[in-house]
Amino acid sequence: MAGEKATRGGIVYAQIREDIFQGVLRPGQRLRLVELSQRFSVSQSVVREALTRLSGQGLVHAAPQQGFSVVTVSLDDLNELTEARTELETLVLRRAIERGDIKWEAAVVAAHHHLAGVEAVRPDGTLNSDWFAVHEHFHQTLLEGCGNARLLAAALSLRDAATLYRRWSRPVGHDVDRDVAGEHQHLVDAVLRRDADGAADLLARHIDRTSAALRTVIEQDAAAVA
């Protein structure tokens, strides 16, 4: 029985998490235990455990006497995180271009080839979660040639903190008119040319473009701001 409950709880957790990432559950939306338990045909305790787990990951907000809700978009946090990522990721990329060897170059090319072969959006218009995993591997590979484990860990930690904003850029920020594949190709080309300035500039614009869409939503809808 305990194993069955754990399995049901895992399914509920995974589906709510994906619904948040897909924008099906919107920023600030209340997550009512009764409705969710009916939707998944599970007890409210199973739903509560799933939401508590999501709260620990920063995807759900839990408030005493008010219950659970999807986290909201914070303009201050978005701007600070974007600034920190831009400063640190471009620094680490510069170091990778300076220090990376031929094995690193080959890894970058392979990671980009894999990314280019995965569709970001499914035929039904929903986001492909597999693409995000491959996308993250590509960006991590770009930075791995830096030769400094502490710098790499710090940069990856900031990337991890920006996961929700990155996932929300399309369904919440409506950033659909964008050539992401072209941005990645230009970035790889600059890396292979060992053009540190050009690559850093491309990466900075790549990071800010994702944030810009959400900034527009926040400015248009004050209710989205935490």
Side-chain angles (χ1 to χ4, degrees), residues 55-72:
S55 175
Q57 296 178 349
L59 300 179
V60 166
H61 176 67
Q65 310 303 321
Q66 297 180 11
F68 298 93
S69 61
V70 180
V71 295
T72 51

Side-chain angles (χ1 to χ4, degrees), residues 83-113:
E83 180 180 31
R85 286 187 59 208
T86 300
E87 293 289 335
L88 188 54
E89 284 190 50
T90 55
L91 169 64
V92 177
L93 181 60
R94 285 179 180 276
R95 294 292 180 271
I97 291 173
E98 293 169 4
R99 301 170 179 172
D101 57 16
I102 191 66
K103 289 178 63 177
W104 169 70
E105 281 192 11
V108 168
V109 171
H112 178 251
H113 181 71

Side-chain angles (χ1 to χ4, degrees), residues 10-80:
I11 293 172
V12 171
Y13 157 80
Q15 187 58 62
I16 295 176
R17 182 175 183 269
E18 186 64 17
D19 283 351
I20 292 173
F21 281 153
Q22 293 281 358
V24 174
L25 296 173
R26 309 293 291 180
Q29 182 173 336
R30 290 287 300 277
L31 301 171
R32 304 181 189 280
L33 296 179
V34 173
E35 294 175 0
L36 291 171
S37 65
Q38 291 175 346
R39 173 187 171 187
F40 294 108
S41 299
V42 297
S43 67
Q44 292 186 36
S45 65
V46 170
V47 174
R48 184 180 291 105
E49 289 175 7
L51 295 179
T52 299
R53 184 178 173 188
L54 290 165
S55 175
Q57 296 178 349
L59 300 179
V60 166
H61 176 67
Q65 310 303 321
Q66 297 180 11
F68 298 93
S69 61
V70 180
V71 295
T72 51
V73 180
S74 166
L75 182 59
D76 287 342
D77 182 55
L78 176 64
N79 287 336
E80 289 178 4

Side-chain angles (χ1 to χ4, degrees), residues 96 104 106-109 111 136-145 156:
W104 169 70
V108 168
V109 171
E136 195 56 33
H137 175 67
F138 166 70
H139 276 279
Q140 179 173 333
T141 303
L142 283 176
L143 304 178
E144 284 178 342
L156 294 180

Side-chain angles (χ1 to χ4, degrees), residues 164-177:
L164 183 58
Y165 291 138
R166 195 155 52 244
R167 292 291 301 259
W168 271 352
S169 65
R170 184 182 178 94
V172 176
H174 309 297
D175 190 13
V176 296
D177 185 21

